[in-house]
Amino acid sequence: MKTELSRTLGIEHAIFGFTPFPAVAAALTRAGGFGVLGAVRYTAPDDLARDLDWMQEHTDGLPYGLDVVMPAKKAVEGVTEAEIEAMIPEEHRAFVRATLAKHGVPELAEGEASGWRITGWMEQVARSQLDVAFDYPIRLLANALGSPPPDVVARAHDHGVLVAALAGSARHARHHADAGIDIVVAQGYEAGGHTGEIASMVLTPEVVDAVSPLPVLAAGGIGSGEQIAAGLALGAQGVWLGSIWLTTTEAELHSRALTAKLLAAGSGDTVRSRALTGKPARQLRTEWTDAWDEPAGPGPLPMPLQGLLVAEAVSRIQRYEVEPLLGTPVGQIVGRMNSERSVKEVVDDLTRGFEKAVDRINRIAGRSAQ
């Protein structure tokens, strides 16, 4: 499964995997793909350095990358996290308290800090992550929300690091190209997390045409080798997969209840909601996401206010595995995530499916398989 981009990066398969879990990223790199570690949860530089040290030890000298979050548009700027939190209306705080009380969600134990913070969505935190990351031989820097600032792109290039940015439309993709981005990830509506409104089958060829000759990765709802073959047929030079890794044995969800929900979910059991971060993000539909869509409610706040507002609530829901409220960002491919497998087993399945799809097309075209 080789393309010009995969040859440039020295990887066997043009499969790029975004994941918040170092063990998953490292396993994908070892399996011949390209693991990309999500940095958003690392609010302390030492924690990121610790896990990048671990990646170095477990990737056998093979390439990997890092994904940061630098919002293209800032809801707030030049203020501290405490000052941002002070902007949250009491009406919204009361709504969170009432929703948690309705479902009997216990308080965190005394002295137990919220395990999930949204400070990683703030540009200054992402910049501190880069101060750490550029001390390591990462080969790719990806930004999930628009093009990184020009000085960040220049800094990456000075370190010999390629820069990728996600795009939900051809217009966004052209903006990335103008900003000096090296790789555009065309992320369709079906994807987990922050996503736009155009489906992958339509989006991928539009983006390929818009930014040619820049390489494009197809993303959104991809979880089989046949879909990878389709993405490459549409002009992509690889695929960007995220959700499919959530139910691998290397993933560190630390919640059997959440894993069970993912394994049981169908492709129609997700929703695009602003309940988690303030921007539309596809996630499991739960009573938590439903509550934020109620007309009588206050509605979500813009990023990063919403994330700061719900941080402790999300930690409590996860800590006590409150099933009706328990969710996670995930794409529509969740309907195919029916069993726990190792990352290598997933990659093997993807490559087998790809080979079958290519053989099928060769037969349709009257050509023998090479």
Side-chain angles (χ1 to χ4, degrees):
M1 200 184 299
K2 291 184 181 295
T3 65
E4 183 179 348
L5 179 60
S6 70
R7 293 186 181 95
T8 296
L9 290 168
I11 58 177
E12 183 179 359
H13 306 302
I15 299 173
F16 295 73
F18 163 79
T19 173
F21 308 123
V24 174
L28 175 57
T29 286
R30 293 196 306 272
F34 191 97
V36 181
L37 178 65
V40 70
R41 68 192 180 101
Y42 296 99
T43 56
D46 288 348
D47 291 340
L48 177 59
R50 177 201 63 217
D51 281 359
L52 288 176
D53 284 338
W54 188 93
M55 290 280 292
Q56 280 293 104
E57 295 172 5
H58 292 84
T59 48
D60 300 335
L62 298 169
Y64 62 91
L66 190 75
D67 180 281
V68 297
V69 176
M70 289 186 171
K73 295 181 180 179
K74 304 178 182 66
V76 289
E77 188 173 7
V79 293
T80 66
E81 180 181 333
E83 290 171 327
I84 295 172
E85 288 209 60
M87 301 177 187
I88 298 172
E90 177 56 32
E91 176 190 14
H92 286 75
R93 296 186 187 278
F95 180 77
V96 169
R97 290 194 297 268
T99 304
L100 296 177
K102 176 182 176 181
H103 292 273
V105 182
E107 297 277 354
L108 293 175
E110 185 176 353
E112 183 178 355
S114 170
W116 184 88
R117 297 297 287 170
I118 202 66
T119 48
W121 301 107
M122 300 168 66
E123 182 177 317
Q124 62 265 37
V125 175
R127 286 183 177 276
S128 71
Q129 293 165 349
L130 296 180
D131 290 339
V132 172
F134 287 133
D135 287 336
Y136 293 82
I138 62 171
R139 295 293 307 280
L140 176 71
L141 173 67
N143 187 42
L145 292 176
S147 303
D151 67 295
V152 172
V153 176
R155 188 179 178 191
H157 288 165
D158 287 345
H159 283 82
V161 176
L162 297 178
V163 180
L166 276 64
S169 71
R171 177 175 61 85
H172 293 155
R174 283 190 288 268
H175 176 77
H176 294 336
D178 292 341
I181 301 304
D182 304 292
I183 302 167
V184 177
V185 181
Q187 180 172 271
Y189 172 85
E190 308 95 326
H194 296 111
T195 183
E197 300 183 4
I198 304 174
S200 299
M201 184 65 73
V202 173
L203 180 65
T204 301
E206 285 187 353
V207 171
V208 168
D209 289 343
V211 302
S212 179
L214 285 184
V216 172
L217 299 179
I222 300 175
S224 73
E226 291 83 356
Q227 290 173 301
I228 294 175
L232 299 189
L234 293 172
Q237 289 198 30
V239 291
W240 178 273
L241 310 182
S243 298
I244 195 70
W245 316 112
L246 288 173
T247 52
T248 58
T249 53
E250 293 90 344
E252 302 163 35
L253 285 180
H254 301 305
S255 172
R256 294 308 304 170
L258 181 54
T259 299
K261 288 189 76 170
L262 288 168
L263 294 173
S267 56
D269 292 329
T270 68
V271 63
R272 285 173 76 241
S273 169
R274 297 198 296 127
L276 186 61
T277 70
K279 286 184 176 289
R282 186 172 296 284
Q283 53 203 279
L284 280 180
R285 181 176 181 178
T286 66
E287 294 188 30
W288 176 257
T289 60
D290 287 348
W292 285 99
D293 286 337
E294 290 176 359
L301 295 167
M303 178 185 281
L305 300 179
Q306 181 69 15
L308 290 169
L309 168 67
V310 305
E312 182 180 330
V314 171
S315 289
R316 289 165 60 184
I317 291 166
Q318 293 176 344
R319 170 70 175 80
Y320 298 107
E321 298 190 327
V322 183
E323 197 276 339
L325 305 179
L326 188 62
T328 186
V330 69
Q332 291 179 328
I333 195 62
V334 70
R336 294 180 65 100
M337 294 158 52
N338 303 316
S339 63
E340 293 183 77
R341 299 175 292 168
S342 70
V343 169
K344 186 179 186 305
E345 287 174 320
V346 172
V347 172
D348 288 345
D349 183 61
L350 293 173
T351 56
R352 283 193 298 267
F354 176 82
E355 291 168 356
K356 290 179 181 177
V358 171
D359 288 346
R360 186 181 306 122
I361 294 301
N362 279 329
R363 289 195 299 272
I364 291 171
R367 296 189 296 266
S368 59
Q370 298 298 314

mmCIF file of all heavy atoms in Angstrom, residues 313-351:
data_model
loop_
_atom_site.group_PDB
_atom_site.id
_atom_site.type_symbol
_atom_site.label_atom_id
_atom_site.label_comp_id
_atom_site.label_asym_id
_atom_site.label_seq_id
_atom_site.Cartn_x
_atom_site.Cartn_y
_atom_site.Cartn_z
ATOM 1 N N ALA A 313 -17.211 17.815 34.970
ATOM 2 C CA ALA A 313 -18.372 16.951 34.754
ATOM 3 C C ALA A 313 -17.992 15.725 33.941
ATOM 4 O O ALA A 313 -18.386 14.592 34.270
ATOM 5 C CB ALA A 313 -19.470 17.737 34.046
ATOM 6 N N VAL A 314 -17.214 15.930 32.877
ATOM 7 C CA VAL A 314 -16.778 14.801 32.050
ATOM 8 C C VAL A 314 -15.930 13.840 32.874
ATOM 9 O O VAL A 314 -16.068 12.610 32.778
ATOM 10 C CB VAL A 314 -16.004 15.307 30.817
ATOM 11 C CG1 VAL A 314 -15.352 14.144 30.066
ATOM 12 C CG2 VAL A 314 -16.933 16.075 29.885
ATOM 13 N N SER A 315 -15.058 14.382 33.715
ATOM 14 C CA SER A 315 -14.229 13.526 34.569
ATOM 15 C C SER A 315 -15.085 12.701 35.528
ATOM 16 O O SER A 315 -14.824 11.515 35.748
ATOM 17 C CB SER A 315 -13.241 14.378 35.366
ATOM 18 O OG SER A 315 -12.256 14.905 34.528
ATOM 19 N N ARG A 316 -16.099 13.324 36.094
ATOM 20 C CA ARG A 316 -16.976 12.593 37.012
ATOM 21 C C ARG A 316 -17.761 11.511 36.287
ATOM 22 O O ARG A 316 -17.901 10.379 36.784
ATOM 23 C CB ARG A 316 -17.923 13.576 37.708
ATOM 24 C CG ARG A 316 -17.227 14.462 38.728
ATOM 25 C CD ARG A 316 -18.078 15.655 39.137
ATOM 26 N NE ARG A 316 -19.358 15.254 39.735
ATOM 27 C CZ ARG A 316 -20.296 16.120 40.093
ATOM 28 N NH1 ARG A 316 -20.100 17.429 39.906
ATOM 29 N NH2 ARG A 316 -21.420 15.685 40.640
ATOM 30 N N ILE A 317 -18.266 11.826 35.121
ATOM 31 C CA ILE A 317 -19.016 10.835 34.336
ATOM 32 C C ILE A 317 -18.124 9.646 33.999
ATOM 33 O O ILE A 317 -18.534 8.475 34.117
ATOM 34 C CB ILE A 317 -19.568 11.483 33.056
ATOM 35 C CG1 ILE A 317 -20.669 12.494 33.404
ATOM 36 C CG2 ILE A 317 -20.101 10.423 32.098
ATOM 37 C CD1 ILE A 317 -21.025 13.416 32.257
ATOM 38 N N GLN A 318 -16.885 9.937 33.592
ATOM 39 C CA GLN A 318 -15.954 8.864 33.242
ATOM 40 C C GLN A 318 -15.493 8.094 34.477
ATOM 41 O O GLN A 318 -15.413 6.861 34.449
ATOM 42 C CB GLN A 318 -14.750 9.454 32.504
ATOM 43 C CG GLN A 318 -15.079 10.032 31.140
ATOM 44 C CD GLN A 318 -13.888 10.698 30.486
ATOM 45 O OE1 GLN A 318 -12.881 10.996 31.135
ATOM 46 N NE2 GLN A 318 -13.995 10.960 29.196
ATOM 47 N N ARG A 319 -15.208 8.828 35.558
ATOM 48 C CA ARG A 319 -14.701 8.196 36.787
ATOM 49 C C ARG A 319 -15.691 7.189 37.325
ATOM 50 O O ARG A 319 -15.315 6.082 37.754
ATOM 51 C CB ARG A 319 -14.400 9.284 37.827
ATOM 52 C CG ARG A 319 -14.086 8.777 39.230
ATOM 53 C CD ARG A 319 -12.753 8.079 39.285
ATOM 54 N NE ARG A 319 -12.391 7.700 40.632
ATOM 55 C CZ ARG A 319 -12.864 6.619 41.261
ATOM 56 N NH1 ARG A 319 -13.705 5.801 40.639
ATOM 57 N NH2 ARG A 319 -12.485 6.359 42.494
ATOM 58 N N TYR A 320 -16.977 7.532 37.301
ATOM 59 C CA TYR A 320 -17.996 6.657 37.884
ATOM 60 C C TYR A 320 -18.773 5.873 36.822
ATOM 61 O O TYR A 320 -19.739 5.185 37.147
ATOM 62 C CB TYR A 320 -18.948 7.492 38.750
ATOM 63 C CG TYR A 320 -18.236 8.151 39.914
ATOM 64 C CD1 TYR A 320 -17.989 9.522 39.918
ATOM 65 C CD2 TYR A 320 -17.757 7.400 40.984
ATOM 66 C CE1 TYR A 320 -17.316 10.129 40.972
ATOM 67 C CE2 TYR A 320 -17.081 7.992 42.038
ATOM 68 C CZ TYR A 320 -16.866 9.355 42.030
ATOM 69 O OH TYR A 320 -16.187 9.946 43.076
ATOM 70 N N GLU A 321 -18.332 5.975 35.572
ATOM 71 C CA GLU A 321 -18.932 5.215 34.460
ATOM 72 C C GLU A 321 -20.460 5.305 34.485
ATOM 73 O O GLU A 321 -21.156 4.290 34.496
ATOM 74 C CB GLU A 321 -18.451 3.768 34.482
ATOM 75 C CG GLU A 321 -16.935 3.645 34.295
ATOM 76 C CD GLU A 321 -16.486 2.209 34.085
ATOM 77 O OE1 GLU A 321 -17.113 1.291 34.651
ATOM 78 O OE2 GLU A 321 -15.502 2.009 33.359
ATOM 79 N N VAL A 322 -20.950 6.528 34.461
ATOM 80 C CA VAL A 322 -22.399 6.770 34.470
ATOM 81 C C VAL A 322 -22.910 6.524 33.054
ATOM 82 O O VAL A 322 -22.846 7.391 32.193
ATOM 83 C CB VAL A 322 -22.708 8.195 34.949
ATOM 84 C CG1 VAL A 322 -24.214 8.409 35.030
ATOM 85 C CG2 VAL A 322 -22.056 8.457 36.303
ATOM 86 N N GLU A 323 -23.397 5.311 32.828
ATOM 87 C CA GLU A 323 -23.644 4.808 31.476
ATOM 88 C C GLU A 323 -24.513 5.716 30.619
ATOM 89 O O GLU A 323 -24.179 5.956 29.439
ATOM 90 C CB GLU A 323 -24.241 3.398 31.566
ATOM 91 C CG GLU A 323 -24.163 2.611 30.259
ATOM 92 C CD GLU A 323 -25.319 2.944 29.322
ATOM 93 O OE1 GLU A 323 -26.352 3.444 29.810
ATOM 94 O OE2 GLU A 323 -25.182 2.720 28.113
ATOM 95 N N PRO A 324 -25.626 6.267 31.101
ATOM 96 C CA PRO A 324 -26.446 7.092 30.209
ATOM 97 C C PRO A 324 -25.727 8.331 29.683
ATOM 98 O O PRO A 324 -26.053 8.832 28.602
ATOM 99 C CB PRO A 324 -27.635 7.489 31.089
ATOM 100 C CG PRO A 324 -27.681 6.464 32.172
ATOM 101 C CD PRO A 324 -26.254 6.107 32.423
ATOM 102 N N LEU A 325 -24.743 8.841 30.434
ATOM 103 C CA LEU A 325 -24.030 10.052 30.043
ATOM 104 C C LEU A 325 -22.670 9.772 29.422
ATOM 105 O O LEU A 325 -22.037 10.671 28.864
ATOM 106 C CB LEU A 325 -23.822 10.957 31.271
ATOM 107 C CG LEU A 325 -25.069 11.362 32.077
ATOM 108 C CD1 LEU A 325 -24.659 12.219 33.263
ATOM 109 C CD2 LEU A 325 -26.061 12.115 31.198
ATOM 110 N N LEU A 326 -22.225 8.541 29.506
ATOM 111 C CA LEU A 326 -20.857 8.181 29.134
ATOM 112 C C LEU A 326 -20.695 8.137 27.616
ATOM 113 O O LEU A 326 -21.403 7.416 26.921
ATOM 114 C CB LEU A 326 -20.513 6.817 29.728
ATOM 115 C CG LEU A 326 -19.071 6.330 29.622
ATOM 116 C CD1 LEU A 326 -18.122 7.265 30.365
ATOM 117 C CD2 LEU A 326 -18.964 4.908 30.178
ATOM 118 N N GLY A 327 -19.755 8.917 27.113
ATOM 119 C CA GLY A 327 -19.517 8.944 25.673
ATOM 120 C C GLY A 327 -18.083 9.297 25.356
ATOM 121 O O GLY A 327 -17.247 9.467 26.247
ATOM 122 N N THR A 328 -17.801 9.432 24.063
ATOM 123 C CA THR A 328 -16.469 9.795 23.599
ATOM 124 C C THR A 328 -16.574 10.233 22.150
ATOM 125 O O THR A 328 -17.486 9.792 21.432
ATOM 126 C CB THR A 328 -15.505 8.600 23.711
ATOM 127 O OG1 THR A 328 -14.172 9.034 23.388
ATOM 128 C CG2 THR A 328 -15.888 7.480 22.752
ATOM 129 N N PRO A 329 -15.679 11.091 21.677
ATOM 130 C CA PRO A 329 -15.646 11.369 20.246
ATOM 131 C C PRO A 329 -15.390 10.087 19.461
ATOM 132 O O PRO A 329 -14.482 9.321 19.777
ATOM 133 C CB PRO A 329 -14.470 12.347 20.109
ATOM 134 C CG PRO A 329 -14.384 13.010 21.446
ATOM 135 C CD PRO A 329 -14.729 11.936 22.433
ATOM 136 N N VAL A 330 -16.187 9.871 18.439
ATOM 137 C CA VAL A 330 -16.031 8.687 17.593
ATOM 138 C C VAL A 330 -16.812 8.919 16.301
ATOM 139 O O VAL A 330 -17.830 9.614 16.298
ATOM 140 C CB VAL A 330 -16.527 7.407 18.306
ATOM 141 C CG1 VAL A 330 -18.037 7.402 18.489
ATOM 142 C CG2 VAL A 330 -16.069 6.146 17.586
ATOM 143 N N GLY A 331 -16.325 8.335 15.213
ATOM 144 C CA GLY A 331 -16.967 8.508 13.926
ATOM 145 C C GLY A 331 -18.007 7.449 13.635
ATOM 146 O O GLY A 331 -18.221 6.513 14.408
ATOM 147 N N GLN A 332 -18.648 7.598 12.482
ATOM 148 C CA GLN A 332 -19.701 6.667 12.100
ATOM 149 C C GLN A 332 -19.172 5.270 11.817
ATOM 150 O O GLN A 332 -19.950 4.309 11.793
ATOM 151 C CB GLN A 332 -20.444 7.210 10.877
ATOM 152 C CG GLN A 332 -21.271 8.452 11.186
ATOM 153 C CD GLN A 332 -21.994 9.000 9.972
ATOM 154 O OE1 GLN A 332 -21.515 8.908 8.846
ATOM 155 N NE2 GLN A 332 -23.146 9.600 10.195
ATOM 156 N N ILE A 333 -17.851 5.131 11.687
ATOM 157 C CA ILE A 333 -17.263 3.813 11.502
ATOM 158 C C ILE A 333 -17.446 2.945 12.737
ATOM 159 O O ILE A 333 -17.189 1.731 12.706
ATOM 160 C CB ILE A 333 -15.762 3.944 11.140
ATOM 161 C CG1 ILE A 333 -15.211 2.632 10.571
ATOM 162 C CG2 ILE A 333 -14.957 4.377 12.350
ATOM 163 C CD1 ILE A 333 -15.874 2.191 9.309
ATOM 164 N N VAL A 334 -17.940 3.524 13.836
ATOM 165 C CA VAL A 334 -18.145 2.762 15.067
ATOM 166 C C VAL A 334 -19.028 1.536 14.817
ATOM 167 O O VAL A 334 -18.918 0.527 15.522
ATOM 168 C CB VAL A 334 -18.747 3.662 16.170
ATOM 169 C CG1 VAL A 334 -20.185 4.048 15.862
ATOM 170 C CG2 VAL A 334 -18.638 3.001 17.545
ATOM 171 N N GLY A 335 -19.866 1.594 13.799
ATOM 172 C CA GLY A 335 -20.712 0.453 13.485
ATOM 173 C C GLY A 335 -19.948 -0.780 13.048
ATOM 174 O O GLY A 335 -20.480 -1.901 13.093
ATOM 175 N N ARG A 336 -18.696 -0.615 12.633
ATOM 176 C CA ARG A 336 -17.857 -1.748 12.241
ATOM 177 C C ARG A 336 -16.900 -2.173 13.344
ATOM 178 O O ARG A 336 -16.187 -3.163 13.203
ATOM 179 C CB ARG A 336 -17.033 -1.393 10.987
ATOM 180 C CG ARG A 336 -17.850 -1.181 9.732
ATOM 181 C CD ARG A 336 -16.934 -0.844 8.565
ATOM 182 N NE ARG A 336 -16.063 -1.967 8.236
ATOM 183 C CZ ARG A 336 -16.276 -2.822 7.231
ATOM 184 N NH1 ARG A 336 -17.344 -2.679 6.467
ATOM 185 N NH2 ARG A 336 -15.438 -3.802 6.983
ATOM 186 N N MET A 337 -16.891 -1.429 14.429
ATOM 187 C CA MET A 337 -15.968 -1.726 15.536
ATOM 188 C C MET A 337 -16.654 -2.693 16.500
ATOM 189 O O MET A 337 -17.141 -2.314 17.556
ATOM 190 C CB MET A 337 -15.564 -0.415 16.215
ATOM 191 C CG MET A 337 -14.749 0.491 15.308
ATOM 192 S SD MET A 337 -14.758 2.262 15.762
ATOM 193 C CE MET A 337 -14.302 2.222 17.481
ATOM 194 N N ASN A 338 -16.666 -3.966 16.119
ATOM 195 C CA ASN A 338 -17.476 -4.962 16.821
ATOM 196 C C ASN A 338 -16.683 -5.884 17.738
ATOM 197 O O ASN A 338 -17.270 -6.720 18.430
ATOM 198 C CB ASN A 338 -18.241 -5.817 15.804
ATOM 199 C CG ASN A 338 -19.115 -4.967 14.902
ATOM 200 O OD1 ASN A 338 -19.788 -4.052 15.376
ATOM 201 N ND2 ASN A 338 -19.104 -5.245 13.607
ATOM 202 N N SER A 339 -15.349 -5.766 17.738
ATOM 203 C CA SER A 339 -14.549 -6.646 18.579
ATOM 204 C C SER A 339 -13.251 -5.942 18.952
ATOM 205 O O SER A 339 -12.799 -5.028 18.247
ATOM 206 C CB SER A 339 -14.231 -7.966 17.860
ATOM 207 O OG SER A 339 -13.441 -7.727 16.701
ATOM 208 N N GLU A 340 -12.650 -6.372 20.048
ATOM 209 C CA GLU A 340 -11.357 -5.845 20.464
ATOM 210 C C GLU A 340 -10.254 -6.621 19.748
ATOM 211 O O GLU A 340 -10.198 -7.843 19.810
ATOM 212 C CB GLU A 340 -11.196 -5.961 21.980
ATOM 213 C CG GLU A 340 -12.151 -5.081 22.767
ATOM 214 C CD GLU A 340 -11.911 -5.177 24.265
ATOM 215 O OE1 GLU A 340 -10.934 -4.568 24.743
ATOM 216 O OE2 GLU A 340 -12.692 -5.865 24.933
ATOM 217 N N ARG A 341 -9.390 -5.884 19.079
ATOM 218 C CA ARG A 341 -8.283 -6.495 18.347
ATOM 219 C C ARG A 341 -7.022 -5.678 18.606
ATOM 220 O O ARG A 341 -7.088 -4.517 18.982
ATOM 221 C CB ARG A 341 -8.568 -6.513 16.838
ATOM 222 C CG ARG A 341 -9.788 -7.305 16.423
ATOM 223 C CD ARG A 341 -10.042 -7.163 14.935
ATOM 224 N NE ARG A 341 -10.462 -5.800 14.588
ATOM 225 C CZ ARG A 341 -10.535 -5.327 13.342
ATOM 226 N NH1 ARG A 341 -10.193 -6.102 12.328
ATOM 227 N NH2 ARG A 341 -10.938 -4.090 13.110
ATOM 228 N N SER A 342 -5.883 -6.280 18.375
ATOM 229 C CA SER A 342 -4.637 -5.539 18.493
ATOM 230 C C SER A 342 -4.501 -4.608 17.294
ATOM 231 O O SER A 342 -5.151 -4.786 16.249
ATOM 232 C CB SER A 342 -3.443 -6.491 18.540
ATOM 233 O OG SER A 342 -3.248 -7.106 17.275
ATOM 234 N N VAL A 343 -3.642 -3.604 17.433
ATOM 235 C CA VAL A 343 -3.390 -2.695 16.316
ATOM 236 C C VAL A 343 -2.876 -3.466 15.113
ATOM 237 O O VAL A 343 -3.299 -3.218 13.979
ATOM 238 C CB VAL A 343 -2.378 -1.607 16.740
ATOM 239 C CG1 VAL A 343 -1.899 -0.810 15.526
ATOM 240 C CG2 VAL A 343 -2.996 -0.673 17.776
ATOM 241 N N LYS A 344 -1.982 -4.420 15.334
ATOM 242 C CA LYS A 344 -1.453 -5.198 14.206
ATOM 243 C C LYS A 344 -2.564 -5.981 13.512
ATOM 244 O O LYS A 344 -2.576 -6.093 12.279
ATOM 245 C CB LYS A 344 -0.355 -6.152 14.683
ATOM 246 C CG LYS A 344 0.330 -6.878 13.528
ATOM 247 C CD LYS A 344 1.434 -7.789 14.001
ATOM 248 C CE LYS A 344 2.189 -8.386 12.813
ATOM 249 N NZ LYS A 344 1.296 -9.078 11.856
ATOM 250 N N GLU A 345 -3.496 -6.539 14.286
ATOM 251 C CA GLU A 345 -4.609 -7.268 13.666
ATOM 252 C C GLU A 345 -5.461 -6.329 12.821
ATOM 253 O O GLU A 345 -5.929 -6.712 11.740
ATOM 254 C CB GLU A 345 -5.455 -7.935 14.749
ATOM 255 C CG GLU A 345 -4.790 -9.141 15.390
ATOM 256 C CD GLU A 345 -5.593 -9.692 16.558
ATOM 257 O OE1 GLU A 345 -6.139 -8.882 17.349
ATOM 258 O OE2 GLU A 345 -5.674 -10.932 16.686
ATOM 259 N N VAL A 346 -5.674 -5.112 13.294
ATOM 260 C CA VAL A 346 -6.437 -4.142 12.513
ATOM 261 C C VAL A 346 -5.703 -3.822 11.219
ATOM 262 O O VAL A 346 -6.301 -3.812 10.132
ATOM 263 C CB VAL A 346 -6.687 -2.858 13.327
ATOM 264 C CG1 VAL A 346 -7.301 -1.774 12.440
ATOM 265 C CG2 VAL A 346 -7.596 -3.139 14.513
ATOM 266 N N VAL A 347 -4.392 -3.568 11.306
ATOM 267 C CA VAL A 347 -3.618 -3.250 10.106
ATOM 268 C C VAL A 347 -3.623 -4.418 9.133
ATOM 269 O O VAL A 347 -3.776 -4.242 7.915
ATOM 270 C CB VAL A 347 -2.177 -2.847 10.484
ATOM 271 C CG1 VAL A 347 -1.311 -2.701 9.227
ATOM 272 C CG2 VAL A 347 -2.183 -1.540 11.269
ATOM 273 N N ASP A 348 -3.461 -5.628 9.641
ATOM 274 C CA ASP A 348 -3.497 -6.810 8.766
ATOM 275 C C ASP A 348 -4.843 -6.917 8.057
ATOM 276 O O ASP A 348 -4.910 -7.240 6.858
ATOM 277 C CB ASP A 348 -3.225 -8.078 9.572
ATOM 278 C CG ASP A 348 -1.776 -8.206 10.015
ATOM 279 O OD1 ASP A 348 -0.925 -7.475 9.473
ATOM 280 O OD2 ASP A 348 -1.499 -9.029 10.898
ATOM 281 N N ASP A 349 -5.922 -6.646 8.777
ATOM 282 C CA ASP A 349 -7.249 -6.693 8.180
ATOM 283 C C ASP A 349 -7.396 -5.605 7.114
ATOM 284 O O ASP A 349 -7.980 -5.840 6.041
ATOM 285 C CB ASP A 349 -8.309 -6.529 9.262
ATOM 286 C CG ASP A 349 -9.727 -6.651 8.713
ATOM 287 O OD1 ASP A 349 -10.066 -7.724 8.172
ATOM 288 O OD2 ASP A 349 -10.492 -5.669 8.805
ATOM 289 N N LEU A 350 -6.866 -4.417 7.392
ATOM 290 C CA LEU A 350 -6.940 -3.327 6.419
ATOM 291 C C LEU A 350 -6.176 -3.668 5.145
ATOM 292 O O LEU A 350 -6.669 -3.427 4.033
ATOM 293 C CB LEU A 350 -6.373 -2.042 7.028
ATOM 294 C CG LEU A 350 -7.159 -1.420 8.184
ATOM 295 C CD1 LEU A 350 -6.380 -0.249 8.781
ATOM 296 C CD2 LEU A 350 -8.541 -0.965 7.735
ATOM 297 N N THR A 351 -4.998 -4.241 5.286
ATOM 298 C CA THR A 351 -4.210 -4.549 4.093
ATOM 299 C C THR A 351 -4.843 -5.688 3.295
ATOM 300 O O THR A 351 -4.836 -5.669 2.061
ATOM 301 C CB THR A 351 -2.761 -4.900 4.475
ATOM 302 O OG1 THR A 351 -2.755 -5.976 5.421
ATOM 303 C CG2 THR A 351 -2.064 -3.697 5.089
#
